[in-house]
Amino acid sequence: MKWILLFMVALGLGLAAASTSSSYSFYRLPTAVRPQKYHLKILTHLDNPEELRFAGTVRILVEALQNTKNITLHSKNLTIDESQITLRQISGEEKKDNCVSSTEVNQDHDFYVLNTCQELLAGNVYELSLPFAAELNKQLEGYYRSSYKDTDTNKTRWLSITQFEPASARAAFPCFDEPGYKAPFVVTLGFHKQYTGLSNMPAKETKPHESLADYIWVEFDESVPMSTYLVAYSVNDFANKPSTLPNSPLFRTWARPNAIDQCNYAAEFGPKVLQYYEQFFGIKFPLPKIDQIAIPDFNAGAMENWGLVTYREIALLFSPEHTSLADKQRLANVVAHELAHQWFGNLVTMKWWTDLWLNEGFATYIASLGVENINPEWRSLEQDSLSNLLTIFRKDALESSHPISRPIEVVSDIAESFDQISYQKGSSVLRMMHMFLGEESFRAGLQSYLQMYSYKNAEQDNLWESLTQAAHKFRALPKSYDIKSIMDSWTLQTGYPVINVTRDYGGKSAKLSQERYLLNTQISREHRGGCWWVPLSYTTQGEQDFNNTAPKAWMECGKTGESLSKTIQDLPGADQWVIFNTQLSTLYKVNYDSHNWKLLIETLTEGDFERIHVINRAQLIDDALYLAWTGEQDYEIAMRLIEYLQREREYLPWKSAFENLKRVSRILRQTPEFEFFKRYIKKLVTPIYLHLNGLNDTFSGIQQQDQILLKTMVANWACQYQVADCVPLALQYYRNWRSEADPDEKNPVPLNLRNTVYCTSIKYGTDADWEFLWTRYKKSNVAAEKRTILTSLGCSREVWVLQRYLEMAYDPNQAIRKQDSMWAFQAIAFNEVGFLLAKKYFMDNVNFLYKFYYPITKDMGRLLTPFSEQVFTQSDFNEFRNFVLLSRDSLKGLEQAIQQTLETMLTNVQWKERNYHQMSRSIQKLL
């Protein structure tokens, strides 16, 4: 970490000392009191667009656990009338009058400290009442406003919604805003009677407002005990689609009235996956109802609020005429993810954000199982597993990555933890554990953990205990092994290993050693360190048993954490290959000796390659290309191996290849050698493009759903590299669409090819082609279609068009919502013409962009990805590093994203210096 840490010090991005008027400045709440129940009453005003606001009172029953003279809770950006604060004792001996004598604020930690007139005594319960008020903000967090256009009247309709995770309940009402402070909530919403009020629980009672005409109060049932970040409420004029699945709780899907016809799929899928989880976890869904609601302005993908799950429109709404299969699968995955949280996250919650991955990793993995159970024809479990692993093989090979379970000491660090490590790596290590434990002990361990910690908080060691007991009971692990030793090596240290396999062909054995795999080749082997407990599954050319993912042996770590080598006996001789990591069950790369690679290449290019499991074919491609990237393997071996793709007809190996080739292409297309790379891609892609019948609309005849995804992906590459008739056919589809009398109602472009057709037509088209698509964007009512168009508009090669589009993306008077601006920016920045424009725009306007995204700076961090993938010269790297140093005030909260961007750029510089000519020579030999 040395070069990064030194850089961060130079940047001045260490922790600042707190400037505070409160004497208490630790980042966690004091533990002298805890809430027992909240009575939350809020009046929301949506009638005047110039004054969208709310006001309310929260009555909190607090129990004193120790004698104390103050109550510290959270409050942020709320107006509190301190003259109206009351405090009274409601249980315990000698009930004395009490009051609040003074208050203090700690702005660094959002603490609101109430000093009491009398000491609170341990064991007594007190009622604290606090009035509060604020505007419905525009920041997409806390209690905020959203809007949509009524298509009948063309008027703007307003609604209110909450987004509290991780730490924004405090911006809606004063509360103990940490996940460990669970309590029941009684929510009462006041609003104009033309609206509907929703919260976590069903409505219990409605009565008129005591003084405001046409306003009502709706009180909701008392909730189960839950963390503040899961509280949710909304005032809206939406319609709903009830689900009809028998034996399901009341299940409704809500959307703006002009999109209610897009709720059918989510309304059908949601209850099915909920029932699957009830059976999988052995615990019924504990609430009497669940609502899922599509919000027009929403920053997160979705949010698992207990009983009121909120979504971006693209993640909940489905139109059979406008939503591709890939978008439909993503929608199913998001719904399954949020509903998995109702158990992992809501019923059992992490004690502190250090173990966020217990929420997100589990929801990601269990969602894959749920979708696979309901739609096995998609083969999505394999797709998700590979996709997660490909993501982590990239992200976690950076020195600036972080452990799955990481210390959190400031609120801004929590947001950075909602990343690919918590989600995809968390999911991947759970899948590994599922595979080495087997179904019986994995499920028994999970069920025991959920039952033991229901309505409570837990940490990862609690999960390890439950799983160890189940593993020993069902004999899935030797008694001398425990889950904590194995899994801590995956959750408490950064990175993953590469396992070097050196075979002794005469002795029919292999020696295995491990070390951390890093993209930054400047870090010497002795400084890489790390040791992982690795379950070793493998098969041989004679055996070819890819179904058995149980470990045949383990790589272990010594008592002081040192790596121990392992020898595997009884392997075949020099005429047979061996493949480790069956079905990529574990997160590691494998580097074989050159003869084993040669045997594998022979089978792939000339033999019965399909007998190697499809995930392992994808693995061999990924490992070979990565190891060539870092110089641990020759590019000649890697390029000879992927030659076999001309025979490959399955989705996963192609996905693996394209992910790797995309990274190389983004560098090579800026160099003179790109000519050879283009010819090579044409040669590689032409057979599969023709096999899939090119751009012809033959989707209805495809039996396997993942062949649709393959065709979509191949078409994209074929048109980029002008394979066969791809470009002329795409342009013809677009011309046909433009000639339709009503193009918003009738679109002849095949649904799953629209991304490719639109992008190609904008790339080679006229200004009128661009304007036509922009008009379709403004008129579209379907979020998935809008995103497809948004990314395609960035495909233009006209500098002035791209410059204008950049400015439109950040103009509040244009049609692009704040949450979608990033997609437009990324589309321009990944375009070879737009890259330099976007980089200049970012550097010139960094201050403006920071304010635009604040306080959700994570979205600003996503603007950096295209730069990290395309900067590859030392001078450009130096320029960007200097820019970051000079712009530190506009990059607060982006420390992790900046470190990873700079490190990725550095690895590109190293690749160009080390591999550019070698790879070019390897390609030319194959042409």
Side-chain angles (χ1 to χ4, degrees), residues 302-351:
M303 177 62 212
E304 66 268 18
N305 315 299
W306 217 347
L308 178 56
V309 186
T310 45
Y311 295 82
R312 272 192 190 200
E313 289 197 341
I314 195 170
L316 191 68
L317 303 183
F318 169 78
S319 161
E321 296 80 31
H322 301 97
T323 308
S324 67
L325 176 64
D327 284 329
K328 185 180 185 181
Q329 286 191 10
R330 273 193 288 272
L331 186 159
N333 239 313
V334 176
V335 171
H337 178 104
E338 302 313 321
L339 295 182
H341 271 310
Q342 308 300 303
W343 285 264
F344 265 96
N346 299 11
L347 185 65
V348 180
T349 311
M350 72 262 142
K351 276 189 180 166

Side-chain angles (χ1 to χ4, degrees), residues 693-740:
N693 212 0
L695 278 201
N696 291 314
D697 186 10
T698 51
F699 289 100
S700 54
I702 292 177
Q703 297 303 309
Q704 283 181 299
Q705 296 287 292
D706 60 356
Q707 289 287 295
I708 295 175
L709 301 180
L710 175 62
K711 179 162 177 150
T712 303
M713 186 170 64
V714 166
N716 190 10
W717 277 73
C719 277
Q720 274 184 57
Y721 286 87
Q722 300 168 313
V723 169
D725 59 1
C726 192
V727 171
L729 271 178
L731 300 179
Q732 186 58 52
Y733 275 129
Y734 196 74
R735 277 195 296 274
N736 293 347
W737 187 26
R738 283 201 60 187
S739 63
E740 288 289 346

